[in-house]
Amino acid sequence: MIDKTGIAKRIAQEVRDGMYINLGIGIPTLVANYIPKNLNVVLQSENGLLGIGPFPTEDQVDPDLINAGKQTITMMPGSALFSSAESFAMIRGGHVDLTILGAMEVSERGDIANWKVPGKMVKGMGGAMDLVASAKNIIVAMQHCSKDGASKLLPTCTLPITGLQCVKKIVSDMAVLDVLPEGGFKLLERAPGISVEQIKNATAGKLVVEGEIPEMMIN
Amino acid sequence: MINKVVENAIVATADIPDNATLMLGGFGLCGIPENSISALLKKGVKGLTCISNNAGVDDFGIGLLLKTRQVRKMISSYVGENAEFERQLLSGELEVELIPQGTLAERIRAGGAGIPAFYTPAGVGTEVAIGKETRDFDGKVYLLESWLRADFSIVKAWKGDTAGNLVYKGTARNFNPMMAAAGKITIAEVEELVPLGELDPNQIHTPGIYVHRIFKGTGYEKRIEQRTTR
């Protein structure tokens, strides 16, 4: 199994030169730390910024400059600022190349649930429904199973849905999987030390295994 | 040019009645109209419907108005940072309508732009879509969402001139420009109030036509929710 850092490092390998990317809160935010330095990418913050820079030093902290997780940030040279309406126009308009977000459940059809647990305080969906409804390419960072061992990769989601048929790829603590257009999770890579058998047992939805499955390369 | 300047937040908000629908700018605590919120608190106006992306924290922002039970209903996309909010919601004292953030932004934009409804992909197949009309465009399903407008919109800008032209700073812009256009009466509070001609017309974010009252705010705290440093 790999930890959160491992998941972030593996997702960072999916980033290509020239991409505009929206990173969700949690593990997806960590991905920014592992994007290869030779790639030119632009990070979008849905509260109105293209070009998120590193966290500020103490004397750079500006209360008027935060990310979607409400953390203080800096801007890269060449950044652009805009309103929330403009921000979601670029999201819905398909201008963002890659969206990386967390999930509580994903179905074998690519449905995602990540905003509400019945019986718990509902905090709201924020921008998640807009992002999953429009993004061209969605990679999900998630735990393969819950703490009590129940699979989170399911035939159908049991939690309230955030969006339908939108997830393209999953990087979990156990595996890398593609969601097939016809339905099903196609196993691409195993986490170091994890067997195909273990992944089969941990995946409740339809799992497609073809040929030898390599181990993830994470450094 | 028409002079929109009023003395302060107390004067600017004086005619906001009980049960009014308000839009309040800001994302988290960034770009919120601190002076006007304080004035509403002092004024004690009740039964408010507040349209704002978030609901502040327990002791700052809209959280202050929740604590004094001045808010009847919140229309927001994310309300997670407030314990008093949670208590009032669970006890049924407070009504909450949760809206996807992009839909919220566009409904407000539509309100100011005179577009009563529009189709969006956000929320299709989710509980947000319950009871709403859907329609197929080029093989994809979209959801019909209607505009939002307010009796009073209260926005915060960095600089403004006496004609109500506004310039925002950093990510404090967020919902403020759309809200400015969607209020029957729009109140703008600014950190710097400058004479006509001082703002570059090429750089105006909100043209003064949308703003009815403007005043120079004082004592901005600009509280930071997640102070994160290297």
Side-chain angles (χ1 to χ4, degrees), chain A residues 29-90:
Chain A
T29 305
L30 295 176
V31 173
N33 301 333
Y34 306 106
I35 295 172
K37 294 280 180 285
N38 60 327
L39 300 185
N40 286 306
V41 299
V42 178
L43 302 180
Q44 200 244 17
S45 194
E46 64 257 30
N47 55 322
L49 170 64
L50 276 171
I52 306 173
F55 290 125
T57 57
E58 256 329 306
D59 56 348
Q60 285 176 327
V61 167
D62 178 356
D64 291 326
L65 203 56
I66 62 169
N67 64 17
K70 284 117 185 172
Q71 295 169 308
T72 45
I73 49 166
T74 59
M75 289 187 284
M76 298 297 284
S79 283
L81 293 157
F82 36 84
S83 73
S84 300
E86 180 87 47
S87 177
F88 283 94
M90 63 182 74

Side-chain angles (χ1 to χ4, degrees), chain A residues 35-198:
Chain A
I35 295 172
K37 294 280 180 285
N38 60 327
L39 300 185
N40 286 306
V41 299
V42 178
L43 302 180
Q44 200 244 17
S45 194
E46 64 257 30
N47 55 322
L49 170 64
L50 276 171
I52 306 173
F55 290 125
T57 57
E58 256 329 306
D59 56 348
Q60 285 176 327
V61 167
D62 178 356
D64 291 326
L65 203 56
I66 62 169
N67 64 17
K70 284 117 185 172
Q71 295 169 308
T72 45
I73 49 166
T74 59
M75 289 187 284
M76 298 297 284
S79 283
L81 293 157
F82 36 84
S83 73
S84 300
E86 180 87 47
S87 177
F88 283 94
M90 63 182 74
I91 288 167
R92 282 188 310 263
H95 306 281
V96 176
D97 299 300
L98 176 62
T99 294
I100 301 168
L101 70 174
M104 297 192 274
E105 292 178 352
V106 174
S107 84
E108 64 189 31
R109 292 166 64 245
D111 303 342
I112 180 171
N114 71 350
W115 77 281
K116 182 177 179 181
V117 179
K120 282 197 181 169
M121 165 68 184
V122 182
K123 295 188 168 188
M125 65 292 281
M129 284 190 184
D130 310 271
L131 281 160
V132 301
S134 320
K136 285 184 279 193
N137 189 10
I138 298 178
I139 301 179
V140 160
M142 65 188 296
Q143 306 300 319
H144 212 102
C145 297
S146 64
K147 286 201 181 83
D148 55 12
S151 179
K152 297 181 169 195
L153 278 65
L154 303 167
T156 54
C157 292
T158 62
L159 294 170
I161 290 287
T162 309
L164 298 174
Q165 290 178 278
C166 52
V167 177
K168 299 281 191 292
K169 191 182 281 280
I170 297 166
V171 177
S172 78
D173 49 352
M174 297 180 80
V176 180
L177 312 102
D178 269 350
V179 179
L180 297 170
E182 67 273 23
F185 301 106
K186 180 163 192 205
L187 184 58
L188 301 177
E189 296 173 22
R190 301 171 287 116
I194 298 288
S195 69
V196 170
E197 205 52 38
Q198 283 173 297

